[in-house]
Amino acid sequence: MHPRIEELSWRSSPMGEISLRRRYDEVVETDVYEVKLDDEFLMSSLFPVAEIELARLGLARTAGTGLDVIVGGLGLGYTAQAALEDRRIATLRVVEYSDAVIDWHERDLIPDTAGLAADSRVLLDRADFFGAAMSETGFDPERPGRTYDAVLLDIDHTPRHVLHAPHTAFYTVEGLRALSAHLRPGGCFAMWSDDPAEDEFMAALGEVFTDVDNEQIWFDNPYTGGESSNSVYLATKA
């Protein structure tokens, strides 16, 4: 007998109670790992396709070797793990606001991404991605102004549907311009979204970056018997 739901970890945060649970799903006949913020579902191990494609698509348009990469949002770890499959990665700084989420990975509670925290290229940084992105100091307090080859972001649902109201300032021309200062020329900014491209955000990206695009990522949905989709925004610094 499988327990229907097992709470593996939960902790209070300024945004609400964040929790990790394991649930045996009779439709797919496997354990599913889910993250919730209060009563809102944030992510599931059942649908990692677009999170993986975020890393693959972003790094595909990032030239060079010895890459220094930022991942905004750790979650279940799929984006970071997919990035590490690129042998050009030298350092991967994962910026995560919740110490609870970092703890899940340090304890290897998520089987699909077990070992992520132990990878010598990885730094799990408990910090505010948006605060760092829009600051002059940037993502490395020990090296203010340090620049990176790519920034891969997966935190909010969409540019309009954010988890925390202060995040909205990032999705403006001013916020994106501040982020671009932390990218090297030719560097890539890539971002996951629950929805297809939003015209207003595409326009903001176009004012700051070049070669702006949005790719819709389709995946099988066993609950509907059809397909569902997320999307990935892509932009390059001139």
Side-chain angles (χ1 to χ4, degrees), residues 74-155:
L74 175 56
L76 293 174
Y78 289 104
T79 298
Q81 183 185 60
L84 291 171
E85 293 176 5
D86 191 319
R87 296 183 179 180
R88 299 175 300 152
I89 295 287
T91 67
L92 190 74
R93 190 182 196 103
V94 186
V95 184
E96 170 55 52
Y97 187 73
S98 172
D99 53 3
V101 177
I102 292 174
D103 178 64
W104 301 343
H105 288 276
E106 290 177 340
R107 294 164 58 196
D108 281 337
L109 294 183
I110 304 147
D112 284 354
T113 53
L116 174 64
D119 192 297
S120 61
R121 297 167 291 174
V122 172
L123 172 65
L124 301 183
D125 181 17
R126 195 284 184 199
D128 175 7
F129 171 88
F130 299 103
M134 292 186 285
S135 71
E136 291 187 9
T137 299
F139 296 103
D140 188 348
E142 296 181 1
R143 294 174 58 185
R146 180 181 179 184
T147 55
Y148 294 83
D149 297 289
V151 173
L152 312 173
L153 175 60
D154 177 9
I155 294 178

Side-chain angles (χ1 to χ4, degrees), residues 180-195:
S180 73
H182 308 305
L183 277 171
R184 294 166 186 159
C188 176
F189 170 56
M191 189 184 88
W192 177 94
S193 177
D194 195 35
D195 291 343

Side-chain angles (χ1 to χ4, degrees), residues 176 189 200-210 212 233-235:
L176 295 170
F189 170 56
E200 186 176 347
F201 186 61
M202 289 289 285
L205 284 170
E207 288 197 38
V208 178
F209 298 98
T210 62
V212 173
Y233 291 95
L234 297 159

